[in-house]
Amino acid sequence: MDTTADIVQITDVLNRHQVYIDLRDADGYADLYSEDGHYESPFTSATGRAQIRQMFIDLRDQGFTAGKRHMTGPAMIDVDGTRATARSWYWVAETEHAATVYATGTYTDQLQKIDGNWKITHRVQTLDPSATHNQ
């Protein structure tokens, strides 16, 4: 079975996840998750699209993501029908002070195709042990 179109769509979800952070777009960000999606990281977690949206707003309003550029690196995506797993690397660049890599880590995602659209059902973010900053 050719999964190329699904992989392209999932890659778009992974890319949009990062861009929405930098655009400060809570609705776009939250819409990438299923209604009962789950997000967990070293600094916070949320379950359900509404909580994920509020988590995004709270972190944004606290300045947590200010002056940062979020990027996703290579992704390994495996599709099995309407379910998929993805593992990708990310890095966060500092953009307001000295241009540096602020943080690096991994995302491990479970996704599901719902009404023709891929949604994240569970995202686990890790921070590399050598990282000295929080993202």
Side-chain angles (χ1 to χ4, degrees), residues 96-131:
E96 288 184 356
H97 306 290
T100 61
V101 173
Y102 188 74
T104 61
T106 61
Y107 290 124
T108 304
D109 296 305
Q110 300 295 318
L111 301 101
Q112 184 174 356
K113 197 170 197 176
I114 302 169
D115 297 328
N117 298 303
W118 285 98
K119 301 289 183 181
I120 300 168
T121 57
H122 191 185
R123 168 164 272 200
V124 177
Q125 178 183 5
T126 64
L127 195 60
D128 286 335
S130 63

Side-chain angles (χ1 to χ4, degrees), residues 48-102:
R49 191 179 289 157
Q51 278 188 12
I52 290 169
R53 182 180 181 280
Q54 190 59 53
M55 173 199 71
F56 180 99
I57 291 168
D58 292 344
L59 290 172
R60 179 192 68 197
D61 292 352
Q62 293 167 16
F64 190 68
T65 58
K68 307 295 182 286
R69 183 84 41 154
H70 296 75
M71 292 165 257
T72 298
M76 209 169 39
I77 301 168
D78 295 307
V79 178
D80 184 13
T82 61
R83 297 198 179 271
T85 59
R87 182 172 176 90
S88 56
W89 285 256
Y90 72 86
W91 64 100
V92 180
E94 170 62 49
T95 61
E96 288 184 356
H97 306 290
T100 61
V101 173
Y102 188 74

Side-chain angles (χ1 to χ4, degrees), residues 24-63:
R24 304 172 65 83
D25 184 347
D27 293 328
Y29 180 89
D31 192 48
L32 297 173
Y33 288 83
S34 63
E35 282 293 335
D36 61 348
H38 185 68
Y39 171 86
E40 59 183 285
S41 77
F43 3 92
T44 191
S45 65
T47 299
R49 191 179 289 157
Q51 278 188 12
I52 290 169
R53 182 180 181 280
Q54 190 59 53
M55 173 199 71
F56 180 99
I57 291 168
D58 292 344
L59 290 172
R60 179 192 68 197
D61 292 352
Q62 293 167 16

